[in-house]
Amino acid sequence: MVKKYYEFVPKSEYSEYLHLSEKLVRLLVKNLNAKCINSKYYIIGSAGKRNLVTRLVIGEERQPIDVDINLEIDLFSLYKNYRRLDFLKEFIRNELNRIIKESNKSFSDGQNSSSVLTYILSNDKDQIAFSFDIAIVSRNKNNELQRLKFAKKSNSYTWTVVFGSSNLEEKVRLIKTKEDWNKLRTTYLKLKNKYIGDENHPSYVCYKMAVEEIYNQICKEEDLDYNAEEQKKFYCPFCGAEKEYEDEICSVCNDDDD
């Protein structure tokens, strides 16, 4: 069996690609805001600043670098015609396609999957050099992050909650204050490799899980506000449904994928 694993990418290798993708997405956000689709973007885990960019290695071959970007939409600002989720996603895809063409960049048109839009940059040999995935996300009334996902069973788009995301950045700030960022990087990479190829554990879910793990360690070590019983519970990272154990397949999400 060919060995597969993720590794961190040196900043010197990804900074040019990251700058290029951010420039395009910044234009997208500017255009969306001009059309009253209030939005913002961020790299998953603020990869460029926190050195969390990874790439897949298959055998001895390093695969193209890819970056995950969240495009966060303010749902409460949307006009009625943009509230149709299939229309909203296709509108965003077409808008970024147009920006790329006008910028004379060699990215492909956005490939629409169930949860992200993928843009691929090819080199002079027509080989994939880099790609970035855009997940469309929003906040519900409880300030929880939720991502736009296509449910095959109902043949429709829906918002699925990323459980425990409302105070994630507060936990990140504590981790950085305690100078435990390298522990988080190690845990993030461990989780990426644990769930390699698992569509239910994309980068931002692994990042959230890593933050929770290191945050809980700090709380236990320093006797901060920590509920041990609560930490024994496991939840689906997408819909928030409680599970009996961590690796259990979520019955709610599994129904959507039938």
Side-chain angles (χ1 to χ4, degrees):
M1 180 180 295
V2 178
K3 185 178 181 181
K4 296 182 181 180
Y5 62 93
Y6 281 102
E7 66 177 11
F8 284 122
V9 182
K11 190 173 183 178
S12 59
E13 292 187 36
Y14 71 72
S15 58
E16 180 182 355
Y17 294 126
L18 186 63
H19 174 74
L20 176 58
S21 56
E22 282 195 280
K23 183 177 180 180
L24 294 170
V25 177
R26 275 197 299 269
L27 286 172
L28 171 65
V29 168
K30 180 180 179 180
N31 290 359
L32 293 178
N33 288 334
K35 298 178 185 296
C36 296
I37 304 175
N38 293 346
S39 57
K40 61 182 180 180
Y41 83 94
Y42 42 91
I43 309 297
I44 302 302
S46 295
K49 296 180 180 178
R50 299 174 182 169
N51 299 320
L52 292 177
V53 175
T54 61
R55 67 178 160 209
L56 182 64
V57 181
I58 302 177
E60 297 182 357
E61 292 188 13
R62 289 185 168 92
Q63 303 303 299
I65 299 170
D66 65 275
V67 168
D68 299 283
I69 300 174
N70 275 354
L71 177 68
E72 185 171 328
I73 304 295
D74 179 4
L75 292 182
F76 305 102
S77 71
L78 292 180
Y79 288 150
K80 185 176 180 180
N81 56 321
Y82 292 127
R83 292 179 185 174
R84 273 186 47 200
L85 298 183
D86 57 340
F87 177 84
L88 176 65
K89 188 175 184 182
E90 186 63 13
F91 179 82
I92 291 171
R93 188 182 77 88
N94 289 333
E95 188 68 17
L96 187 50
N97 286 347
R98 184 182 62 78
I99 290 170
I100 288 172
K101 286 184 173 65
E102 291 179 356
S103 302
N104 293 319
K105 303 303 180 184
S106 300
F107 280 98
S108 66
D109 281 352
Q111 299 175 5
N112 190 356
S113 69
S114 62
S115 58
V116 297
L117 297 171
T118 299
Y119 290 83
I120 297 172
L121 178 67
S122 299
N123 58 24
D124 294 337
K125 298 179 180 179
D126 204 28
Q127 299 171 326
I128 297 175
F130 168 76
S131 67
F132 66 91
D133 291 337
I134 294 183
I136 300 171
V137 301
S138 64
R139 298 273 174 181
N140 62 21
K141 62 182 180 180
N142 297 320
N143 198 38
E144 294 170 312
L145 194 69
Q146 51 189 12
R147 68 173 188 134
L148 186 59
K149 183 182 178 184
F150 182 72
K152 294 179 181 178
K153 187 173 183 179
S154 59
N155 193 35
S156 63
Y157 283 95
T158 185
W159 294 109
T160 56
V161 174
V162 180
F163 183 81
S165 57
S166 58
N167 59 349
L168 191 66
E169 287 307 307
E170 294 177 15
K171 296 176 180 179
V172 168
R173 283 193 290 272
L174 176 64
I175 292 170
K176 295 178 73 175
T177 299
K178 300 299 179 181
E179 298 183 352
D180 279 335
W181 191 255
N182 283 335
K183 287 184 181 179
L184 187 140
R185 291 182 79 245
T186 300
T187 302
Y188 173 68
L189 189 63
K190 177 191 73 175
L191 290 169
K192 286 272 291 185
N193 283 312
K194 178 179 180 179
Y195 294 109
I196 194 167
D198 185 344
E199 292 184 358
N200 286 331
H201 289 81
S203 295
Y204 69 88
V205 171
C206 291
Y207 172 68
K208 183 189 75 67
M209 293 170 66
V211 170
E212 294 287 349
E213 183 173 329
I214 302 304
Y215 174 80
N216 292 337
Q217 287 178 13
I218 294 172
C219 289
K220 286 190 287 186
E221 290 169 359
E222 303 195 9
D223 197 25
L224 300 177
D225 185 15
Y226 174 80
N227 187 333
E229 289 301 318
E230 183 67 20
Q231 302 311 313
K232 293 179 182 178
K233 297 180 181 180
F234 300 102
Y235 300 90
C236 173
F238 291 141
C239 69
E242 188 171 343
K243 303 189 293 182
E244 291 186 11
Y245 52 90
E246 184 178 7
D247 293 332
E248 179 186 13
I249 296 175
C250 176
S251 58
V252 176
C253 291
N254 194 44
D255 285 344
D256 284 343
D257 292 336
D258 289 342

